[in-house]
Amino acid sequence: MSIKIGIYGYGNLGKGVECAIKNSPDMELVAVFTRRDPETVKINTKTALVCSDDKIPEYKDKIDVMILCGGSAKDLPLQSPEIAKSFCLVDSFDTHTNIPVHFANVDAEAQKSGKVAIISAGWDPGMFSVNRLYAEAVLPCGADYTFWGKGVSQGHSDAIRRIDGVVDARQYTIPIDEALNAVRSGACPSLSTGEKHRRECFVVAEDGADKQRIEKEIKEMPNYFADYETTVHFISLEELKRDHSKIPHGGFVIRSGKTGFDLENSHIIEYSLKLDSNPEFTASVIVSFARAAHRMYNEGFKGCKTVFDIPPAYLSPESHSDIIKRLL
Amino acid sequence: MSIKIGIYGYGNLGKGVECAIKNSPDMELVAVFTRRDPETVKINTKTALVCSDDKIPEYKDKIDVMILCGGSAKDLPLQSPEIAKSFCLVDSFDTHTNIPVHFANVDAEAQKSGKVAIISAGWDPGMFSVNRLYAEAVLPCGADYTFWGKGVSQGHSDAIRRIDGVVDARQYTIPIDEALNAVRSGACPSLSTGEKHRRECFVVAEDGADKQRIEKEIKEMPNYFADYETTVHFISLEELKRDHSKIPHGGFVIRSGKTGFDLENSHIIEYSLKLDSNPEFTASVIVSFARAAHRMYNEGFKGCKTVFDIPPAYLSPESHSDIIKRLL
């Protein structure tokens, strides 16, 4: 019997989850829940419903796992604990510093309800985190490095859009090749985030706007750009739509470590992603963890879990003997 | 209190395990067990004992996890089930096709004894397997590719040594760049093992041996070389010792997959290893899984486990809240 899924929130991530469910034969999308007027939300899955989110309680016994696709700033801190009262769930809460608090809040509810709630599933946090953990456990004497990109940073693009005279903007975070190569050489350099990445901005300015001032404001923006090598290109709205409408991303987790009685041997573990669509890949990770949440719940587990707590076998739709035979 | 470890078998892998324990502050090597006369075996850890393997039963309550460092052909099929009667254990059984039988044999004993026995921990099987599983679960529509090397293949080196007139030999397995690049492009090519790898052989021949015949015998050897692009270099024993005494290895697990409602977006997940010392890295993986075996046993788990069954958190010596804070 297929795993019945609900999607809460239908933006880019929610649409990606819908696609990932379509591509998972063991799953079925039951309904998309939205805060908008359901009449205005058109989804691609003909067999699923669109419902107002105040109908969620009625689906308590009709959905195995609810996938939360809201934002980490305002939606998930409230929604995840609330949904955990009645549903197994997966979210992709990605504000790294607030994860311990989010974990505690979701765990309190999931322990009471007996449900399994997996938080912070995606690629970072998510697959990158798992790879940082495995690599550090295997090579305790060493250092790890996370590089992001080349990819669109939504937060940085938004920051540019808030500058006076900017119509639209797209910001790419790009790993610096020299830094990547230094890490891969095993040299264990000490590198700040700004020494690992550069930022490339494509900006559409209003007619007659002062481009020099805009460029200066971007490059001097604290936290976002001031500590980075930043390039700014002014382009037309047509060019932005034509050349920068996709949402690619990716990155690298590299651990450089030593072994040997006197640490005489060097090793490099590298995990990398090259993604055409950041939200669709994130959604694909989430959906594999939804499978795990459902299985763990059926086996009597409960409470909040992270990607660190899930045996990899639970992510696969295949039997244990099949994965041993085919993948081990 | 530190985790008390025994090593059974003291070849390259056993020595690597000894190093990995030294580099793990939460572990302590209690004893090395050997089939040889213990007087003839010198180990590096001053605080540990060397014992004949017939003394193993006396250590039942003095060792938390026994690490088996014998060979997969003859040692582990007998030793792992036997040791599982009295100890938690980790082995690196690596004959892929026989893993299901080995799993069943070890599981039967570990279920009876209530111990946790982790088999086939290393990098392939091991970390490569885990990465194949994660990548397939996340991108079900796609194909995966495992490349080995550049590294020394012990089996192929041995096969060359058995040829008449050969004094010594070293064989490197090397991924073919064009195949790697085709996979990374997302083209999903269909590739045989021979289309993914070439073989480079360094051979020391006896004085006056017929080198043309030796080269022909190598290149035409079925299974080992006949299906591969193979190069043979004749060198002196001094050159072999000087330039080819290390045991490097590595490789790549790449999954190329599609997402989207009509599979319109492509993604590449790549995991790679570049290892100075194959046995020391394998040993480091094993030791991290020994930590997991001990913890799972303490929490009441029992039976045979693989890398697929271990939540990543169990590999780390740190607390759950610390790894969430620092690595998620």
Side-chain angles (χ1 to χ4, degrees), chain A residues 156-176:
Chain A
H156 287 77
S157 301
D158 289 344
I160 300 173
R161 280 188 209 106
R162 285 191 293 264
I163 294 174
D164 199 44
V166 171
V167 175
D168 202 352
R170 196 76 81 251
Q171 193 267 183
Y172 294 91
T173 304
I174 305 171
I176 294 173

Side-chain angles (χ1 to χ4, degrees), chain A residues 249-310:
Chain A
H249 219 311
F252 306 82
V253 172
I254 305 176
R255 186 162 185 94
S256 170
K258 304 270 189 189
T259 65
F261 209 74
D262 300 308
L263 299 179
E264 62 274 25
N265 286 312
S266 296
H267 307 272
I268 302 284
I269 304 173
E270 178 168 338
Y271 178 80
S272 72
L273 297 174
K274 205 176 137 208
L275 313 175
D276 266 4
S277 164
N278 184 356
E280 285 183 11
F281 187 80
T282 303
S284 299
V285 175
I286 290 174
V287 164
S288 70
F289 280 94
R291 181 179 294 121
H294 181 58
R295 280 209 193 172
M296 293 179 86
Y297 173 71
N298 283 342
E299 292 185 10
F301 290 87
K302 63 176 178 173
C304 188
K305 311 283 173 195
T306 71
V307 293
F308 296 154
D309 308 311
I310 316 294

Side-chain angles (χ1 to χ4, degrees), chain A residues 18-19 22-24 44-45 96 99-100 103 120 124-127 129-134 136-141 144 184 246 258-277 280-281 284-285 288-289 291 306-313 315-316 318 320 323-328, chain B residues 18-19 22-24 44-45 96 99-100 103 120 124-127 129-134 136-141 144 184 246 258-277 280-281 284-285 288-289 291 306-313 315-316 318 320 323-328:
Chain A
E18 184 183 20
C19 297
K22 187 192 174 208
N23 297 324
S24 301
N44 290 309
T45 307
H96 289 263
I99 290 175
F103 182 92
S120 302
D124 197 357
M127 296 315 301
S129 322
V130 162
N131 275 280
R132 285 189 285 261
L133 178 62
Y134 273 119
E136 181 182 282
V138 169
L139 294 176
C141 305
D144 68 46
R184 286 179 180 142
K246 284 209 165 196
K258 304 270 189 189
T259 65
F261 209 74
D262 300 308
L263 299 179
E264 62 274 25
N265 286 312
S266 296
H267 307 272
I268 302 284
I269 304 173
E270 178 168 338
Y271 178 80
S272 72
L273 297 174
K274 205 176 137 208
L275 313 175
D276 266 4
S277 164
E280 285 183 11
F281 187 80
S284 299
V285 175
S288 70
F289 280 94
R291 181 179 294 121
T306 71
V307 293
F308 296 154
D309 308 311
I310 316 294
L315 304 178
S316 171
E318 293 193 26
H320 194 258
I323 57 175
I324 284 188
K325 215 179 287 174
R326 206 167 50 76
L327 298 170
L328 191 60
Chain B
E18 184 183 21
C19 297
K22 188 193 173 206
N23 297 325
S24 301
N44 290 309
T45 308
H96 289 262
I99 290 175
F103 181 92
S120 303
D124 198 358
M127 296 315 299
S129 322
V130 162
N131 275 281
R132 285 189 285 261
L133 178 61
Y134 274 119
E136 182 182 282
V138 170
L139 294 176
C141 305
D144 69 46
R184 285 179 180 142
K246 284 208 164 196
K258 304 271 189 189
T259 64
F261 209 75
D262 299 308
L263 299 178
E264 61 273 25
N265 286 310
S266 295
H267 308 272
I268 301 285
I269 304 173
E270 177 167 340
Y271 178 80
S272 72
L273 297 174
K274 204 176 137 207
L275 313 174
D276 266 4
S277 164
E280 285 183 10
F281 186 81
S284 299
V285 175
S288 70
F289 280 94
R291 181 179 294 121
T306 71
V307 294
F308 296 153
D309 308 311
I310 317 294
L315 304 178
S316 171
E318 294 193 25
H320 194 258
I323 56 174
I324 284 189
K325 215 178 287 174
R326 206 166 51 74
L327 298 170
L328 191 60

